[in-house]
Amino acid sequence: MKELFNRLSSIEGRDFLEVDDLLSEELDAVVRLAVAAKADFSLLEGCLKGRCIGLLFEKPSTRTRVSLAAGISRLGGSAIFLDPNELQLTRGETLEDTGRVLDRYLDALAARVMDHHTLVTLAAAMERPVLNALSDRSHPMQALADVMTLREVGAGSVAYVGDGNNVATSLMLASTMLGLDARIATPPSRCLDPAVVKRCETYAKATGGAFLHTFEPSEAVQGAEAVYTDVWVSMGAEADAEEARSQLGPYALTPELYRLAADGAVIMHCLPMHRDEEIASELADSPHSVIFDQAENRMHAQNALLSAVLGGVSQRR
Ligand code: CP
Ligand code: NVA
């Protein structure tokens, strides 16, 4: 454990806006700590004692909100929820000034934002770590739990089908950074950002993993040990709902598509899901579904991350 704590000391004080704000080795260490602390809670007990973490949510949340607050409380810290509608932001105080003030009270800020640039602005205004709790661009906290879950079940490959959205972006980055065989199938009009594709290709090359971006769901799913999907209409993209649904029909995770995966492939979804839209309800409830373990892992993965970022871990070296 000492070796793991040593490896995590480099993360102390850093922002976490994208999954590859971490190096591959650091990501691996966070996941290893998350798995270890899930099995033995005492490893991280008291790691956030006396720490105060702000939780700012511009969009709804069940898992991220509760897993962060519960995790922080279990590790001895306290969480303060910040509703942007109740801040002076609504009356014209700038984001920069808000960040500078929060910096004087908090040990870290986790924020879920409409526009990723809000996180970038807050991170520039604050000395304390800023953590991305979902933006229109990425969802790195989700990806931590995703790769943790893949590791728990021993899956070496993961196929994502659906919208090339924030969750897909962070999942593909994290998977290639850890040397997995990562595949994604999206409609041509909803593919990953080309810059993200490049980063995934670079990571796959460096880690001995693989990366495939295709428009053909069967090509992605063929032989995969884990299959993954997300909603077709993300928060903030409701105006585009009709078009999304018309394009994403062939990318639904159906029993027919699932049959192409490896025998016993696990079924994943970040939740919330729309049953019988992007995922067949019978798959979500099948014995191969790890969807609710994945949801539980949000807390374990974030606990490991926060303990490393806020230095609780480095004090145990
Ligand atoms: N997966 C996820 O981030 O869920 P919430 O939107 O409920 O936080
Ligand atoms: N892509 C979804 C994920 C929700 C956790 C969204 O942004 O709404």
Side-chain angles (χ1 to χ4, degrees):
M1 227 8 94
K2 280 228 171 318
E3 174 260 330
L4 189 55
F5 288 165
N6 269 331
R7 279 227 272 157
L8 286 162
S9 62
S10 58
I11 301 173
E12 187 172 343
R14 299 218 324 246
D15 295 326
F16 183 62
L17 302 194
E18 301 284 2
V19 78
D20 52 350
D21 283 352
L22 300 179
L23 299 171
S24 290
E25 306 85 78
E26 292 168 338
L27 173 61
D28 173 72
V30 170
V31 173
R32 279 173 50 199
L33 179 60
V35 171
K38 181 176 179 179
D40 176 5
F41 175 72
S42 70
L43 281 178
L44 294 182
E45 202 168 4
C47 260
L48 296 182
K49 190 157 182 271
R51 300 309 187 106
C52 188
I53 296 145
L55 304 178
L56 176 74
F57 281 85
E58 291 183 350
K59 299 181 187 186
S61 168
T62 297
R63 279 141 290 273
T64 310
R65 177 190 300 270
V66 180
S67 60
L68 278 169
I72 290 165
S73 150
R74 283 165 195 262
L75 299 181
S78 52
I80 301 183
F81 280 105
L82 302 168
D83 177 345
N85 296 315
E86 291 175 355
L87 300 180
Q88 295 284 12
L89 279 166
T90 50
R91 300 180 61 252
E93 186 166 25
T94 67
L95 204 51
E96 287 85 348
D97 289 346
T98 305
R100 287 171 70 179
V101 170
L102 294 179
D103 213 30
R104 304 288 178 113
Y105 307 137
L106 300 172
D107 293 295
L109 176 71
R112 168 167 288 195
V113 298
M114 301 300 263
D115 180 346
H116 191 83
H117 293 107
T118 300
L119 287 171
V120 175
T121 305
L122 285 169
M126 294 180 67
E127 301 261 318
R128 309 286 183 166
V130 173
L131 311 166
N132 181 355
L134 180 147
S135 72
D136 52 337
R137 189 192 292 179
S138 52
H139 197 0
M141 286 189 186
Q142 179 68 51
L144 293 181
D146 296 344
V147 289
M148 175 186 175
T149 308
L150 289 165
R151 190 163 285 186
E152 276 183 335
V153 299
S157 50
V158 56
Y160 175 98
V161 287
D163 189 22
N165 61 16
N166 46 7
V167 166
T169 294
S170 298
L171 172 70
M172 289 295 115
L173 286 168
S175 304
T176 51
M177 285 172 74
L178 294 182
L180 298 176
D181 170 0
R183 305 108 173 251
I184 177 166
T186 70
S189 53
R190 300 184 163 268
C191 41
L192 290 183
D193 181 328
V196 170
V197 168
K198 258 206 189 105
R199 271 146 71 197
C200 290
E201 285 168 350
T202 306
Y203 296 136
K205 212 179 227 170
T207 58
F211 178 65
L212 169 78
H213 194 323
T214 172
F215 304 138
E216 186 42 66
S218 59
E219 193 189 359
V221 169
Q222 191 69 49
E225 290 167 0
V227 293
Y228 194 129
T229 193
D230 183 19
V231 291
W232 289 348
V233 182
S234 283
M235 292 178 278
E238 289 78 9
D240 177 40
E242 210 174 303
E243 199 183 336
R245 290 201 174 93
S246 73
Q247 295 170 343
L248 283 158
Y251 295 81
L253 192 48
T254 59
E256 296 69 43
L257 187 59
Y258 176 69
R259 271 196 276 282
L260 301 176
D263 272 353
V266 296
I267 297 158
M268 300 177 71
H269 193 303
C270 58
L271 299 178
M273 65 182 143
H274 292 114
R275 288 171 176 268
D276 295 321
E277 186 166 82
E278 77 275 2
I279 184 167
S281 198
E282 65 177 273
L283 291 183
D285 295 329
S286 98
H288 299 299
S289 167
V290 292
I291 289 172
F292 294 94
D293 300 318
Q294 194 185 344
E296 176 186 339
N297 286 342
R298 292 295 308 274
M299 184 173 73
H300 302 297
Q302 288 153 197
N303 285 356
L305 176 77
L306 286 169
S307 299
V309 167
L310 290 174
V313 154
S314 65
Q315 282 162 20
R316 303 192 173 196
R317 285 192 286 158

